[in-house]
Amino acid sequence: MAPNPDEEQGYTVPSNQTENDPLLGENNRSIDSPKKDHSISLGNGIKDISLKRYYGLAYMLAMGMCGVVLVALGSTLQELAENAGRVSTDVGSVFIARGFGAICGAVTSAKLYQSINGNIVILWTILGMCAILLYLPFISTVISLHIAFMILGVSTAVTDTGCQIMTRRIHGTGAGPWLGANTVAFGLSGALVPCISYATSLLIVQYAIMSAIGIFAASSFIILPNPEKLEGYINKKPNKKSEGKNYAHNLLEFVHNYRIEFCVGFMVFWLIGGKVGATAYLTQYVSDTDIISESQSAGLIAVLW
């Protein structure tokens, strides 16, 4: 009888082990060379290279819209506060509302993008941002301003997270450069807001231009085909919870395994929050100190972002 291939290499296969049992399970701890599990490989994403590039550009536009919104909220805070009969320092808590919305959006994004078509989610969140931007210049109460900032926080977080998730699903193992490009687009797009303020001083016109940019970004998700129907699209579901372990144990294990990612994520969260807060008060700082001309304050925001 021909020898078992594993026995030829010095491995001993227990008689009670089936083909579905892991090689390094409880019954086979003595194996020194674990078999690589290829079932969790991401793959190379969708096969159509041209569509990959178009999707990459679409997600960069969506990320850019998030950057535009964040900078706009900070740079026009003084005008928005005046519309509500206050000054910017009186309504600084709107950034707490925005941060709370961002946390809620980030937490719910994972489940959201598992159950709903990712591009549809991004499309509607961008359109929602455009609607709120058009409404902002007409807000006359502090409470409404807080609600608007919180909704924008949710929308930007859902869009931001979704762009990164969809980029991984479409590009697979080649997603790295595109993920970096999304981040670059997010940062550079903030410089558009000072340029818009240089072009016009009317708040409603500024927000109308920003909304037009958002509609342009959203239109790409209407034009492009549904990626979930394309060959190579990655839509793996997370593994089921291990039997015998409760939810708290799984959560602690997850946090431990991804502790570095969590630390970096919190660092980026506070960095972006600090930049948005600084943007809100740069104009006021220039006005109070006369260190430079007020007409040049928008340039400071462009340099910051």
Side-chain angles (χ1 to χ4, degrees), residues 243-276:
E243 296 182 0
K245 295 182 180 180
N246 57 29
Y247 176 78
H249 182 279
N250 286 324
L251 180 61
L252 290 174
E253 186 177 13
F254 175 80
V255 172
H256 175 75
N257 291 338
Y258 292 94
R259 58 191 181 279
I260 296 178
E261 288 82 354
F262 273 108
C263 290
V264 174
F266 279 117
M267 289 166 60
V268 173
F269 179 81
W270 288 112
L271 172 64
I272 298 299
K275 289 179 68 176
V276 173

PDB file of all heavy atoms in Angstrom, residues 243-276:
ATOM      1  N   GLU A 243     -16.974  28.961  19.344  1.00  0.00           N
ATOM      2  CA  GLU A 243     -17.860  28.354  20.313  1.00  0.00           C
ATOM      3  C   GLU A 243     -17.192  28.323  21.679  1.00  0.00           C
ATOM      4  O   GLU A 243     -16.002  28.093  21.804  1.00  0.00           O
ATOM      5  CB  GLU A 243     -18.216  26.935  19.865  1.00  0.00           C
ATOM      6  CG  GLU A 243     -19.009  26.913  18.548  1.00  0.00           C
ATOM      7  CD  GLU A 243     -19.373  25.508  18.162  1.00  0.00           C
ATOM      8  OE1 GLU A 243     -19.016  24.582  18.922  1.00  0.00           O
ATOM      9  OE2 GLU A 243     -20.007  25.325  17.101  1.00  0.00           O
ATOM     10  N   GLY A 244     -17.997  28.526  22.700  1.00  0.00           N
ATOM     11  CA  GLY A 244     -17.479  28.475  24.049  1.00  0.00           C
ATOM     12  C   GLY A 244     -16.875  29.783  24.525  1.00  0.00           C
ATOM     13  O   GLY A 244     -16.351  29.855  25.614  1.00  0.00           O
ATOM     14  N   LYS A 245     -16.910  30.806  23.682  1.00  0.00           N
ATOM     15  CA  LYS A 245     -16.373  32.109  24.083  1.00  0.00           C
ATOM     16  C   LYS A 245     -17.497  33.135  24.041  1.00  0.00           C
ATOM     17  O   LYS A 245     -18.256  33.196  23.074  1.00  0.00           O
ATOM     18  CB  LYS A 245     -15.245  32.545  23.141  1.00  0.00           C
ATOM     19  CG  LYS A 245     -14.017  31.652  23.201  1.00  0.00           C
ATOM     20  CD  LYS A 245     -12.940  32.179  22.269  1.00  0.00           C
ATOM     21  CE  LYS A 245     -11.696  31.310  22.308  1.00  0.00           C
ATOM     22  NZ  LYS A 245     -10.639  31.814  21.399  1.00  0.00           N
ATOM     23  N   ASN A 246     -17.591  33.943  25.065  1.00  0.00           N
ATOM     24  CA  ASN A 246     -18.645  34.932  25.086  1.00  0.00           C
ATOM     25  C   ASN A 246     -18.222  36.184  24.316  1.00  0.00           C
ATOM     26  O   ASN A 246     -17.089  36.311  23.859  1.00  0.00           O
ATOM     27  CB  ASN A 246     -19.026  35.284  26.533  1.00  0.00           C
ATOM     28  CG  ASN A 246     -17.836  35.779  27.332  1.00  0.00           C
ATOM     29  OD1 ASN A 246     -16.900  36.360  26.787  1.00  0.00           O
ATOM     30  ND2 ASN A 246     -17.867  35.548  28.638  1.00  0.00           N
ATOM     31  N   TYR A 247     -19.165  37.101  24.184  1.00  0.00           N
ATOM     32  CA  TYR A 247     -18.925  38.304  23.382  1.00  0.00           C
ATOM     33  C   TYR A 247     -17.796  39.150  23.975  1.00  0.00           C
ATOM     34  O   TYR A 247     -16.959  39.672  23.241  1.00  0.00           O
ATOM     35  CB  TYR A 247     -20.216  39.127  23.304  1.00  0.00           C
ATOM     36  CG  TYR A 247     -20.054  40.437  22.584  1.00  0.00           C
ATOM     37  CD1 TYR A 247     -20.009  40.491  21.191  1.00  0.00           C
ATOM     38  CD2 TYR A 247     -19.931  41.629  23.300  1.00  0.00           C
ATOM     39  CE1 TYR A 247     -19.861  41.699  20.527  1.00  0.00           C
ATOM     40  CE2 TYR A 247     -19.781  42.839  22.638  1.00  0.00           C
ATOM     41  CZ  TYR A 247     -19.750  42.863  21.261  1.00  0.00           C
ATOM     42  OH  TYR A 247     -19.594  44.063  20.613  1.00  0.00           O
ATOM     43  N   ALA A 248     -17.775  39.289  25.299  1.00  0.00           N
ATOM     44  CA  ALA A 248     -16.754  40.115  25.944  1.00  0.00           C
ATOM     45  C   ALA A 248     -15.353  39.553  25.683  1.00  0.00           C
ATOM     46  O   ALA A 248     -14.409  40.312  25.416  1.00  0.00           O
ATOM     47  CB  ALA A 248     -17.027  40.193  27.446  1.00  0.00           C
ATOM     48  N   HIS A 249     -15.224  38.231  25.742  1.00  0.00           N
ATOM     49  CA  HIS A 249     -13.919  37.603  25.485  1.00  0.00           C
ATOM     50  C   HIS A 249     -13.471  37.866  24.051  1.00  0.00           C
ATOM     51  O   HIS A 249     -12.312  38.204  23.799  1.00  0.00           O
ATOM     52  CB  HIS A 249     -14.007  36.103  25.762  1.00  0.00           C
ATOM     53  CG  HIS A 249     -12.701  35.390  25.577  1.00  0.00           C
ATOM     54  ND1 HIS A 249     -12.231  35.000  24.333  1.00  0.00           N
ATOM     55  CD2 HIS A 249     -11.742  35.009  26.477  1.00  0.00           C
ATOM     56  CE1 HIS A 249     -11.068  34.414  24.464  1.00  0.00           C
ATOM     57  NE2 HIS A 249     -10.740  34.396  25.759  1.00  0.00           N
ATOM     58  N   ASN A 250     -14.405  37.705  23.091  1.00  0.00           N
ATOM     59  CA  ASN A 250     -14.061  37.949  21.693  1.00  0.00           C
ATOM     60  C   ASN A 250     -13.677  39.401  21.457  1.00  0.00           C
ATOM     61  O   ASN A 250     -12.772  39.703  20.679  1.00  0.00           O
ATOM     62  CB  ASN A 250     -15.244  37.586  20.796  1.00  0.00           C
ATOM     63  CG  ASN A 250     -15.428  36.085  20.679  1.00  0.00           C
ATOM     64  OD1 ASN A 250     -14.459  35.332  20.647  1.00  0.00           O
ATOM     65  ND2 ASN A 250     -16.675  35.639  20.644  1.00  0.00           N
ATOM     66  N   LEU A 251     -14.381  40.316  22.122  1.00  0.00           N
ATOM     67  CA  LEU A 251     -14.084  41.737  21.958  1.00  0.00           C
ATOM     68  C   LEU A 251     -12.696  42.070  22.493  1.00  0.00           C
ATOM     69  O   LEU A 251     -11.914  42.777  21.837  1.00  0.00           O
ATOM     70  CB  LEU A 251     -15.144  42.571  22.677  1.00  0.00           C
ATOM     71  CG  LEU A 251     -14.978  44.089  22.615  1.00  0.00           C
ATOM     72  CD1 LEU A 251     -15.029  44.571  21.160  1.00  0.00           C
ATOM     73  CD2 LEU A 251     -16.053  44.789  23.440  1.00  0.00           C
ATOM     74  N   LEU A 252     -12.373  41.544  23.682  1.00  0.00           N
ATOM     75  CA  LEU A 252     -11.054  41.796  24.258  1.00  0.00           C
ATOM     76  C   LEU A 252      -9.947  41.201  23.393  1.00  0.00           C
ATOM     77  O   LEU A 252      -8.885  41.808  23.207  1.00  0.00           O
ATOM     78  CB  LEU A 252     -10.987  41.215  25.675  1.00  0.00           C
ATOM     79  CG  LEU A 252     -11.834  41.931  26.741  1.00  0.00           C
ATOM     80  CD1 LEU A 252     -11.787  41.170  28.056  1.00  0.00           C
ATOM     81  CD2 LEU A 252     -11.347  43.370  26.932  1.00  0.00           C
ATOM     82  N   GLU A 253     -10.211  40.025  22.846  1.00  0.00           N
ATOM     83  CA  GLU A 253      -9.222  39.386  21.975  1.00  0.00           C
ATOM     84  C   GLU A 253      -9.012  40.207  20.706  1.00  0.00           C
ATOM     85  O   GLU A 253      -7.886  40.380  20.235  1.00  0.00           O
ATOM     86  CB  GLU A 253      -9.680  37.971  21.626  1.00  0.00           C
ATOM     87  CG  GLU A 253      -8.655  37.170  20.840  1.00  0.00           C
ATOM     88  CD  GLU A 253      -9.117  35.753  20.582  1.00  0.00           C
ATOM     89  OE1 GLU A 253     -10.324  35.474  20.786  1.00  0.00           O
ATOM     90  OE2 GLU A 253      -8.279  34.933  20.166  1.00  0.00           O
ATOM     91  N   PHE A 254     -10.109  40.738  20.157  1.00  0.00           N
ATOM     92  CA  PHE A 254     -10.028  41.561  18.955  1.00  0.00           C
ATOM     93  C   PHE A 254      -9.229  42.831  19.224  1.00  0.00           C
ATOM     94  O   PHE A 254      -8.349  43.218  18.449  1.00  0.00           O
ATOM     95  CB  PHE A 254     -11.438  41.920  18.476  1.00  0.00           C
ATOM     96  CG  PHE A 254     -11.475  42.867  17.319  1.00  0.00           C
ATOM     97  CD1 PHE A 254     -11.256  42.414  16.028  1.00  0.00           C
ATOM     98  CD2 PHE A 254     -11.725  44.214  17.520  1.00  0.00           C
ATOM     99  CE1 PHE A 254     -11.284  43.288  14.955  1.00  0.00           C
ATOM    100  CE2 PHE A 254     -11.753  45.089  16.460  1.00  0.00           C
ATOM    101  CZ  PHE A 254     -11.537  44.623  15.171  1.00  0.00           C
ATOM    102  N   VAL A 255      -9.518  43.506  20.349  1.00  0.00           N
ATOM    103  CA  VAL A 255      -8.801  44.734  20.696  1.00  0.00           C
ATOM    104  C   VAL A 255      -7.321  44.449  20.905  1.00  0.00           C
ATOM    105  O   VAL A 255      -6.454  45.233  20.485  1.00  0.00           O
ATOM    106  CB  VAL A 255      -9.425  45.371  21.960  1.00  0.00           C
ATOM    107  CG1 VAL A 255      -8.568  46.536  22.451  1.00  0.00           C
ATOM    108  CG2 VAL A 255     -10.840  45.848  21.667  1.00  0.00           C
ATOM    109  N   HIS A 256      -7.012  43.312  21.542  1.00  0.00           N
ATOM    110  CA  HIS A 256      -5.611  42.962  21.769  1.00  0.00           C
ATOM    111  C   HIS A 256      -4.886  42.704  20.449  1.00  0.00           C
ATOM    112  O   HIS A 256      -3.766  43.180  20.243  1.00  0.00           O
ATOM    113  CB  HIS A 256      -5.522  41.733  22.661  1.00  0.00           C
ATOM    114  CG  HIS A 256      -4.116  41.236  22.855  1.00  0.00           C
ATOM    115  ND1 HIS A 256      -3.212  41.881  23.676  1.00  0.00           N
ATOM    116  CD2 HIS A 256      -3.445  40.176  22.309  1.00  0.00           C
ATOM    117  CE1 HIS A 256      -2.052  41.236  23.638  1.00  0.00           C
ATOM    118  NE2 HIS A 256      -2.170  40.210  22.822  1.00  0.00           N
ATOM    119  N   ASN A 257      -5.520  41.979  19.556  1.00  0.00           N
ATOM    120  CA  ASN A 257      -4.880  41.643  18.283  1.00  0.00           C
ATOM    121  C   ASN A 257      -4.631  42.879  17.414  1.00  0.00           C
ATOM    122  O   ASN A 257      -3.665  42.928  16.658  1.00  0.00           O
ATOM    123  CB  ASN A 257      -5.731  40.636  17.505  1.00  0.00           C
ATOM    124  CG  ASN A 257      -5.747  39.273  18.153  1.00  0.00           C
ATOM    125  OD1 ASN A 257      -4.847  38.940  18.919  1.00  0.00           O
ATOM    126  ND2 ASN A 257      -6.769  38.476  17.879  1.00  0.00           N
ATOM    127  N   TYR A 258      -5.507  43.869  17.531  1.00  0.00           N
ATOM    128  CA  TYR A 258      -5.402  45.066  16.691  1.00  0.00           C
ATOM    129  C   TYR A 258      -5.077  46.313  17.528  1.00  0.00           C
ATOM    130  O   TYR A 258      -5.469  47.421  17.189  1.00  0.00           O
ATOM    131  CB  TYR A 258      -6.708  45.285  15.916  1.00  0.00           C
ATOM    132  CG  TYR A 258      -6.961  44.223  14.880  1.00  0.00           C
ATOM    133  CD1 TYR A 258      -7.747  43.114  15.185  1.00  0.00           C
ATOM    134  CD2 TYR A 258      -6.406  44.313  13.614  1.00  0.00           C
ATOM    135  CE1 TYR A 258      -7.979  42.125  14.245  1.00  0.00           C
ATOM    136  CE2 TYR A 258      -6.636  43.331  12.660  1.00  0.00           C
ATOM    137  CZ  TYR A 258      -7.428  42.241  12.989  1.00  0.00           C
ATOM    138  OH  TYR A 258      -7.647  41.272  12.052  1.00  0.00           O
ATOM    139  N   ARG A 259      -4.334  46.112  18.608  1.00  0.00           N
ATOM    140  CA  ARG A 259      -4.042  47.221  19.515  1.00  0.00           C
ATOM    141  C   ARG A 259      -3.231  48.327  18.834  1.00  0.00           C
ATOM    142  O   ARG A 259      -3.431  49.515  19.113  1.00  0.00           O
ATOM    143  CB  ARG A 259      -3.321  46.718  20.759  1.00  0.00           C
ATOM    144  CG  ARG A 259      -2.010  45.980  20.500  1.00  0.00           C
ATOM    145  CD  ARG A 259      -1.503  45.291  21.757  1.00  0.00           C
ATOM    146  NE  ARG A 259      -0.246  44.589  21.543  1.00  0.00           N
ATOM    147  CZ  ARG A 259      -0.150  43.381  21.007  1.00  0.00           C
ATOM    148  NH1 ARG A 259      -1.260  42.749  20.609  1.00  0.00           N
ATOM    149  NH2 ARG A 259       1.021  42.798  20.863  1.00  0.00           N
ATOM    150  N   ILE A 260      -2.308  47.946  17.956  1.00  0.00           N
ATOM    151  CA  ILE A 260      -1.503  48.962  17.260  1.00  0.00           C
ATOM    152  C   ILE A 260      -2.389  49.790  16.337  1.00  0.00           C
ATOM    153  O   ILE A 260      -2.296  51.021  16.291  1.00  0.00           O
ATOM    154  CB  ILE A 260      -0.368  48.295  16.467  1.00  0.00           C
ATOM    155  CG1 ILE A 260       0.595  47.588  17.424  1.00  0.00           C
ATOM    156  CG2 ILE A 260       0.373  49.325  15.620  1.00  0.00           C
ATOM    157  CD1 ILE A 260       1.721  46.850  16.731  1.00  0.00           C
ATOM    158  N   GLU A 261      -3.275  49.114  15.590  1.00  0.00           N
ATOM    159  CA  GLU A 261      -4.184  49.825  14.707  1.00  0.00           C
ATOM    160  C   GLU A 261      -5.098  50.771  15.485  1.00  0.00           C
ATOM    161  O   GLU A 261      -5.395  51.883  15.039  1.00  0.00           O
ATOM    162  CB  GLU A 261      -5.025  48.833  13.900  1.00  0.00           C
ATOM    163  CG  GLU A 261      -4.258  48.098  12.822  1.00  0.00           C
ATOM    164  CD  GLU A 261      -3.483  46.899  13.348  1.00  0.00           C
ATOM    165  OE1 GLU A 261      -3.460  46.715  14.580  1.00  0.00           O
ATOM    166  OE2 GLU A 261      -2.915  46.156  12.529  1.00  0.00           O
ATOM    167  N   PHE A 262      -5.550  50.317  16.670  1.00  0.00           N
ATOM    168  CA  PHE A 262      -6.394  51.174  17.494  1.00  0.00           C
ATOM    169  C   PHE A 262      -5.633  52.415  17.950  1.00  0.00           C
ATOM    170  O   PHE A 262      -6.171  53.532  17.934  1.00  0.00           O
ATOM    171  CB  PHE A 262      -6.907  50.402  18.715  1.00  0.00           C
ATOM    172  CG  PHE A 262      -8.170  49.634  18.457  1.00  0.00           C
ATOM    173  CD1 PHE A 262      -8.156  48.256  18.362  1.00  0.00           C
ATOM    174  CD2 PHE A 262      -9.369  50.292  18.294  1.00  0.00           C
ATOM    175  CE1 PHE A 262      -9.311  47.547  18.118  1.00  0.00           C
ATOM    176  CE2 PHE A 262     -10.538  49.603  18.045  1.00  0.00           C
ATOM    177  CZ  PHE A 262     -10.515  48.214  17.958  1.00  0.00           C
ATOM    178  N   CYS A 263      -4.378  52.238  18.361  1.00  0.00           N
ATOM    179  CA  CYS A 263      -3.564  53.384  18.799  1.00  0.00           C
ATOM    180  C   CYS A 263      -3.369  54.388  17.666  1.00  0.00           C
ATOM    181  O   CYS A 263      -3.545  55.603  17.845  1.00  0.00           O
ATOM    182  CB  CYS A 263      -2.213  52.897  19.318  1.00  0.00           C
ATOM    183  SG  CYS A 263      -2.276  52.013  20.885  1.00  0.00           S
ATOM    184  N   VAL A 264      -3.022  53.871  16.492  1.00  0.00           N
ATOM    185  CA  VAL A 264      -2.831  54.767  15.343  1.00  0.00           C
ATOM    186  C   VAL A 264      -4.147  55.453  14.979  1.00  0.00           C
ATOM    187  O   VAL A 264      -4.174  56.647  14.659  1.00  0.00           O
ATOM    188  CB  VAL A 264      -2.281  53.974  14.137  1.00  0.00           C
ATOM    189  CG1 VAL A 264      -2.218  54.863  12.899  1.00  0.00           C
ATOM    190  CG2 VAL A 264      -0.901  53.425  14.448  1.00  0.00           C
ATOM    191  N   GLY A 265      -5.243  54.701  15.056  1.00  0.00           N
ATOM    192  CA  GLY A 265      -6.545  55.278  14.738  1.00  0.00           C
ATOM    193  C   GLY A 265      -6.911  56.420  15.674  1.00  0.00           C
ATOM    194  O   GLY A 265      -7.400  57.470  15.242  1.00  0.00           O
ATOM    195  N   PHE A 266      -6.668  56.224  16.981  1.00  0.00           N
ATOM    196  CA  PHE A 266      -6.958  57.286  17.939  1.00  0.00           C
ATOM    197  C   PHE A 266      -6.050  58.498  17.716  1.00  0.00           C
ATOM    198  O   PHE A 266      -6.480  59.650  17.855  1.00  0.00           O
ATOM    199  CB  PHE A 266      -6.799  56.773  19.371  1.00  0.00           C
ATOM    200  CG  PHE A 266      -7.978  56.001  19.875  1.00  0.00           C
ATOM    201  CD1 PHE A 266      -7.861  54.671  20.220  1.00  0.00           C
ATOM    202  CD2 PHE A 266      -9.217  56.610  19.994  1.00  0.00           C
ATOM    203  CE1 PHE A 266      -8.956  53.948  20.677  1.00  0.00           C
ATOM    204  CE2 PHE A 266     -10.314  55.905  20.450  1.00  0.00           C
ATOM    205  CZ  PHE A 266     -10.180  54.566  20.790  1.00  0.00           C
ATOM    206  N   MET A 267      -4.805  58.249  17.352  1.00  0.00           N
ATOM    207  CA  MET A 267      -3.884  59.357  17.074  1.00  0.00           C
ATOM    208  C   MET A 267      -4.376  60.187  15.886  1.00  0.00           C
ATOM    209  O   MET A 267      -4.404  61.424  15.941  1.00  0.00           O
ATOM    210  CB  MET A 267      -2.484  58.803  16.785  1.00  0.00           C
ATOM    211  CG  MET A 267      -1.778  58.233  18.000  1.00  0.00           C
ATOM    212  SD  MET A 267      -0.330  57.231  17.568  1.00  0.00           S
ATOM    213  CE  MET A 267       0.669  58.433  16.702  1.00  0.00           C
ATOM    214  N   VAL A 268      -4.800  59.495  14.827  1.00  0.00           N
ATOM    215  CA  VAL A 268      -5.309  60.201  13.651  1.00  0.00           C
ATOM    216  C   VAL A 268      -6.597  60.936  13.993  1.00  0.00           C
ATOM    217  O   VAL A 268      -6.826  62.069  13.541  1.00  0.00           O
ATOM    218  CB  VAL A 268      -5.531  59.207  12.496  1.00  0.00           C
ATOM    219  CG1 VAL A 268      -6.219  59.889  11.315  1.00  0.00           C
ATOM    220  CG2 VAL A 268      -4.207  58.608  12.038  1.00  0.00           C
ATOM    221  N   PHE A 269      -7.449  60.297  14.802  1.00  0.00           N
ATOM    222  CA  PHE A 269      -8.709  60.926  15.203  1.00  0.00           C
ATOM    223  C   PHE A 269      -8.465  62.255  15.902  1.00  0.00           C
ATOM    224  O   PHE A 269      -9.084  63.276  15.587  1.00  0.00           O
ATOM    225  CB  PHE A 269      -9.483  59.971  16.114  1.00  0.00           C
ATOM    226  CG  PHE A 269     -10.789  60.516  16.607  1.00  0.00           C
ATOM    227  CD1 PHE A 269     -11.910  60.476  15.798  1.00  0.00           C
ATOM    228  CD2 PHE A 269     -10.900  61.063  17.877  1.00  0.00           C
ATOM    229  CE1 PHE A 269     -13.119  60.971  16.244  1.00  0.00           C
ATOM    230  CE2 PHE A 269     -12.103  61.558  18.335  1.00  0.00           C
ATOM    231  CZ  PHE A 269     -13.229  61.515  17.517  1.00  0.00           C
ATOM    232  N   TRP A 270      -7.528  62.255  16.849  1.00  0.00           N
ATOM    233  CA  TRP A 270      -7.244  63.490  17.579  1.00  0.00           C
ATOM    234  C   TRP A 270      -6.519  64.503  16.703  1.00  0.00           C
ATOM    235  O   TRP A 270      -6.726  65.717  16.826  1.00  0.00           O
ATOM    236  CB  TRP A 270      -6.402  63.177  18.815  1.00  0.00           C
ATOM    237  CG  TRP A 270      -7.177  62.475  19.876  1.00  0.00           C
ATOM    238  CD1 TRP A 270      -7.025  61.177  20.304  1.00  0.00           C
ATOM    239  CD2 TRP A 270      -8.260  63.007  20.661  1.00  0.00           C
ATOM    240  NE1 TRP A 270      -7.936  60.865  21.275  1.00  0.00           N
ATOM    241  CE2 TRP A 270      -8.703  61.969  21.520  1.00  0.00           C
ATOM    242  CE3 TRP A 270      -8.892  64.233  20.713  1.00  0.00           C
ATOM    243  CZ2 TRP A 270      -9.748  62.138  22.420  1.00  0.00           C
ATOM    244  CZ3 TRP A 270      -9.943  64.408  21.607  1.00  0.00           C
ATOM    245  CH2 TRP A 270     -10.349  63.374  22.452  1.00  0.00           C
ATOM    246  N   LEU A 271      -5.676  64.027  15.794  1.00  0.00           N
ATOM    247  CA  LEU A 271      -4.979  64.940  14.883  1.00  0.00           C
ATOM    248  C   LEU A 271      -5.964  65.687  13.992  1.00  0.00           C
ATOM    249  O   LEU A 271      -5.913  66.921  13.876  1.00  0.00           O
ATOM    250  CB  LEU A 271      -3.987  64.152  14.017  1.00  0.00           C
ATOM    251  CG  LEU A 271      -3.309  64.944  12.883  1.00  0.00           C
ATOM    252  CD1 LEU A 271      -2.440  66.057  13.459  1.00  0.00           C
ATOM    253  CD2 LEU A 271      -2.477  64.020  12.005  1.00  0.00           C
ATOM    254  N   ILE A 272      -6.894  64.930  13.369  1.00  0.00           N
ATOM    255  CA  ILE A 272      -7.883  65.569  12.502  1.00  0.00           C
ATOM    256  C   ILE A 272      -8.777  66.504  13.299  1.00  0.00           C
ATOM    257  O   ILE A 272      -9.092  67.622  12.865  1.00  0.00           O
ATOM    258  CB  ILE A 272      -8.727  64.504  11.778  1.00  0.00           C
ATOM    259  CG1 ILE A 272      -7.837  63.636  10.872  1.00  0.00           C
ATOM    260  CG2 ILE A 272      -9.827  65.155  10.953  1.00  0.00           C
ATOM    261  CD1 ILE A 272      -7.139  64.406   9.783  1.00  0.00           C
ATOM    262  N   GLY A 273      -9.184  66.061  14.492  1.00  0.00           N
ATOM    263  CA  GLY A 273     -10.004  66.923  15.338  1.00  0.00           C
ATOM    264  C   GLY A 273      -9.293  68.213  15.713  1.00  0.00           C
ATOM    265  O   GLY A 273      -9.890  69.291  15.722  1.00  0.00           O
ATOM    266  N   GLY A 274      -7.998  68.115  16.008  1.00  0.00           N
ATOM    267  CA  GLY A 274      -7.222  69.312  16.335  1.00  0.00           C
ATOM    268  C   GLY A 274      -7.098  70.261  15.164  1.00  0.00           C
ATOM    269  O   GLY A 274      -7.188  71.488  15.321  1.00  0.00           O
ATOM    270  N   LYS A 275      -6.908  69.690  13.968  1.00  0.00           N
ATOM    271  CA  LYS A 275      -6.802  70.543  12.780  1.00  0.00           C
ATOM    272  C   LYS A 275      -8.118  71.258  12.495  1.00  0.00           C
ATOM    273  O   LYS A 275      -8.134  72.433  12.128  1.00  0.00           O
ATOM    274  CB  LYS A 275      -6.391  69.701  11.564  1.00  0.00           C
ATOM    275  CG  LYS A 275      -4.951  69.220  11.611  1.00  0.00           C
ATOM    276  CD  LYS A 275      -4.602  68.374  10.410  1.00  0.00           C
ATOM    277  CE  LYS A 275      -4.582  69.189   9.131  1.00  0.00           C
ATOM    278  NZ  LYS A 275      -4.139  68.382   7.981  1.00  0.00           N
ATOM    279  N   VAL A 276      -9.228  70.541  12.668  1.00  0.00           N
ATOM    280  CA  VAL A 276     -10.535  71.170  12.447  1.00  0.00           C
ATOM    281  C   VAL A 276     -10.763  72.275  13.468  1.00  0.00           C
ATOM    282  O   VAL A 276     -11.240  73.372  13.130  1.00  0.00           O
ATOM    283  CB  VAL A 276     -11.652  70.110  12.530  1.00  0.00           C
ATOM    284  CG1 VAL A 276     -13.025  70.778  12.485  1.00  0.00           C
ATOM    285  CG2 VAL A 276     -11.530  69.118  11.389  1.00  0.00           C
TER     286      VAL A 276
END
